[in-house]
Amino acid sequence: MFTKSFLSSIAFFLASAIAETVTEGAITGSKTYSQYTPFELSQMTLLERLKVYPWTVETMSIGLILAYLALFFIGSRYNDNLVKKYIERQRDEVLKDQFYQVGVTQSQLYIKDDGENYSSYATGRINIASLTQKIRLQARHNVFLWILEGVLSAYFESVVTPSDTIQLTFDIDAEAAEKYDNFIWAVVSKDKMSTLRTESYYLSLTKTAESDKLPIEYVFMNEVPEMNEVLYKSDFKEILEESKGFLRYIAITDQPDEKPTELSEVAPNKKVIVNMRVPKGDSQLKASVKLVKYVIGYIDFVVEKAAFRPELTRRIKKTRDAEIAKLKKIAEDAKKEELEAKRIEEQKKLREEQSKLSPEEQKKIEKKQQEKKQRKLEKKQRVRA
């Protein structure tokens, strides 16, 4: 990786060389490169030709490359520092007291997948099998892509506006998961609410309900409104007020992020998810530490208390059954299409084989097929009678 001093040295050297060439040409009044004839150039030494050659294009090209490398270095370092500051703060003030292992390994706190994506991990706590933190940052290391995404997002809804986000996924361990019901319940920021519902399949299964129990910036999203009576805690409002500058939502779910395409994908997988913008500044970092600590304690509350009345669980099950019915219909349609394609392929092969037979053999086969059809027809008529 290039250092700042190395880049500065190269830039200074190029600037000095250009200035020296321009000054020397102005003093001596020498001809430009294009004014020399091929014969005159052939009589020069290599050093003389290099001195009179116009290096403008090459200098500009090298300058642009160096500028790109400098911006890449600065953007990459900024992202690295942003992640490091957040993860180390969480580790030191919350996670190391709550989990047996913090970091992807004993010696590595987080993984950098590329210039935009980072991930961290923690495990070893009652009720929580693991904590995975996925951090996605703006493409500051690729300034051209960063600017392009920003411009396009202003004109096209399909292009996501560049942002720095973190998703914390607390996977509930098997023993704790058996202690409470399957359900989806969330507190979601009104900002980008429809976008969040599109991004997360489990939120798309919920209904929205405003409440004076929450700060005005947030709403409940759940399968059954009466769930709030069990899941809401009096100190929830305070933690939301402190986190409203960066928190997007807190969700309890047993359904996947992505819309399932197979029945096996709707099997309950209980987890608690916190989605937020990367906290910046000491006050937001301090609030994020308090938020994560609160959510960890709140998970214990959910495991102990989140059991609903039978009529509520029946209403929740009705929603799930409707989704399962859709998947079954899709699976049945796919199977029918597969069988139809197989039947067409078999008929095609049969016709190809018959075309190779003699006319007499073909007539025999056709006669057998007609007899087979006739027997089927007679059987149906007998059944109807």
Side-chain angles (χ1 to χ4, degrees):
M1 179 64 71
F2 289 93
T3 63
K4 292 182 180 179
S5 58
F6 177 69
L7 293 172
S8 301
S9 301
I10 294 177
F12 179 76
F13 172 77
L14 287 170
S16 301
I18 294 168
E20 185 179 343
T21 302
V22 172
T23 304
E24 184 179 345
I27 294 172
T28 60
S30 60
K31 295 189 292 184
T32 61
Y33 186 81
S34 59
Q35 291 174 329
Y36 286 95
T37 64
F39 177 75
E40 288 175 323
L41 290 171
S42 67
Q43 298 301 308
M44 292 180 182
T45 64
L46 176 62
L47 183 59
E48 289 172 333
R49 287 201 300 272
L50 290 173
K51 284 183 177 180
V52 299
Y53 182 80
W55 295 97
T56 307
V57 175
E58 288 80 0
T59 303
M60 289 180 63
S61 299
I62 293 173
L64 288 172
I65 292 170
L66 290 175
Y68 177 82
L69 290 173
L71 291 171
F72 177 91
F73 175 80
I74 294 169
S76 183
R77 284 292 297 274
Y78 181 89
N79 278 0
D80 288 346
N81 290 335
L82 203 62
V83 171
K84 187 177 179 182
K85 186 183 294 185
Y86 164 79
I87 291 182
E88 287 185 348
R89 186 79 172 259
Q90 293 288 346
R91 178 198 62 189
D92 295 341
E93 298 187 23
V94 184
L95 301 183
K96 71 179 183 180
D97 295 329
Q98 296 286 341
F99 293 90
Y100 175 76
Q101 177 185 321
V102 179
V104 291
T105 66
Q106 294 289 353
S107 59
Q108 188 176 7
L109 187 56
Y110 64 90
I111 291 175
K112 180 178 180 180
D113 300 317
D114 52 43
E116 300 170 60
N117 296 283
Y118 302 74
S119 56
S120 186
Y121 182 81
T123 187
R125 187 192 184 277
I126 294 173
N127 295 332
I128 301 173
S130 65
L131 163 62
T132 303
Q133 299 191 74
K134 295 287 186 181
I135 304 173
R136 182 173 179 81
L137 303 181
Q138 299 176 53
R140 295 182 178 88
H141 63 294
N142 188 339
V143 68
F144 301 110
L145 177 62
W146 187 26
I147 293 172
L148 182 63
E149 286 179 341
V151 173
L152 292 177
S153 65
Y155 296 97
F156 301 99
E157 292 184 1
S158 58
V159 181
V160 180
T161 304
S163 61
D164 301 322
T165 59
I166 303 173
Q167 180 151 307
L168 296 85
T169 302
F170 297 86
D171 285 301
I172 308 302
D173 69 36
E175 185 178 346
E178 292 179 357
K179 295 179 181 178
Y180 69 95
D181 294 335
N182 297 326
F183 65 91
I184 302 167
W185 184 85
V187 176
V188 183
S189 170
K190 293 178 183 177
D191 183 36
K192 304 285 186 182
M193 187 170 60
S194 58
T195 303
L196 295 174
R197 189 190 289 273
T198 304
E199 289 176 357
S200 301
Y201 166 72
Y202 53 84
L203 289 180
S204 71
L205 300 177
T206 64
K207 297 177 182 178
T208 303
E210 294 200 37
S211 173
D212 56 6
K213 293 179 178 180
L214 301 175
I216 194 170
E217 294 86 0
Y218 291 91
V219 294
F220 287 118
M221 294 181 76
N222 48 51
E223 294 175 279
V224 182
E226 290 84 349
M227 295 164 62
N228 298 340
E229 299 173 9
V230 176
L231 298 171
Y232 181 80
K233 292 184 69 179
S234 58
D235 54 355
F236 222 108
K237 190 170 185 176
E238 179 185 346
I239 201 73
L240 291 173
E241 283 284 2
E242 294 183 17
S243 307
K244 64 185 180 183
F246 57 89
L247 177 63
R248 301 172 82 194
Y249 67 84
I250 300 173
I252 308 167
T253 179
D254 65 314
Q255 293 298 297
D257 290 351
E258 301 291 333
K259 187 172 183 177
T261 56
E262 298 179 4
L263 285 171
S264 59
E265 295 174 359
V266 297
N269 180 20
K270 295 179 181 177
K271 50 189 175 287
V272 174
I273 295 173
V274 178
N275 188 290
M276 60 187 179
R277 288 179 286 272
V278 175
K280 296 172 184 176
D282 190 67
S283 61
Q284 285 196 357
L285 281 170
K286 185 178 180 180
S288 72
V289 167
K290 189 174 179 180
L291 172 67
V292 172
K293 188 174 183 179
Y294 179 86
V295 170
I296 292 171
Y298 182 69
I299 289 171
D300 297 334
F301 170 81
V302 170
V303 171
E304 183 182 352
K305 300 290 186 180
F308 306 110
R309 300 191 307 273
E311 54 267 32
L312 295 188
T313 56
R314 282 195 295 270
R315 289 164 67 182
I316 293 169
K317 187 175 182 297
K318 189 176 179 180
T319 303
R320 310 302 172 83
D321 289 344
E323 292 297 309
I324 290 171
K326 291 177 186 177
L327 290 174
K328 284 182 177 178
K329 181 70 167 56
I330 292 170
E332 288 172 2
D333 291 343
K335 189 175 181 179
K336 287 179 181 178
E337 289 178 4
E338 185 181 347
L339 290 172
E340 180 64 17
K342 187 177 179 181
R343 186 185 67 80
I344 292 171
E345 184 65 25
E346 288 175 352
Q347 288 182 343
K348 183 180 177 182
K349 287 181 180 179
L350 183 60
R351 284 194 298 268
E352 289 175 354
E353 291 174 359
Q354 288 179 359
S355 64
K356 298 175 183 178
L357 300 175
S358 64
E360 291 78 10
E361 289 173 324
Q362 289 183 25
K363 286 181 181 179
K364 287 181 182 179
I365 291 172
E366 288 174 4
K367 185 178 179 181
K368 287 181 180 180
Q369 289 175 344
Q370 288 295 332
E371 290 174 352
K372 188 177 180 181
K373 286 181 182 178
Q374 186 63 32
R375 285 195 297 272
K376 283 184 178 180
L377 182 61
E378 290 173 355
K379 188 177 179 180
K380 284 182 181 179
Q381 289 174 346
R382 284 196 300 270
V383 170
R384 289 175 184 174

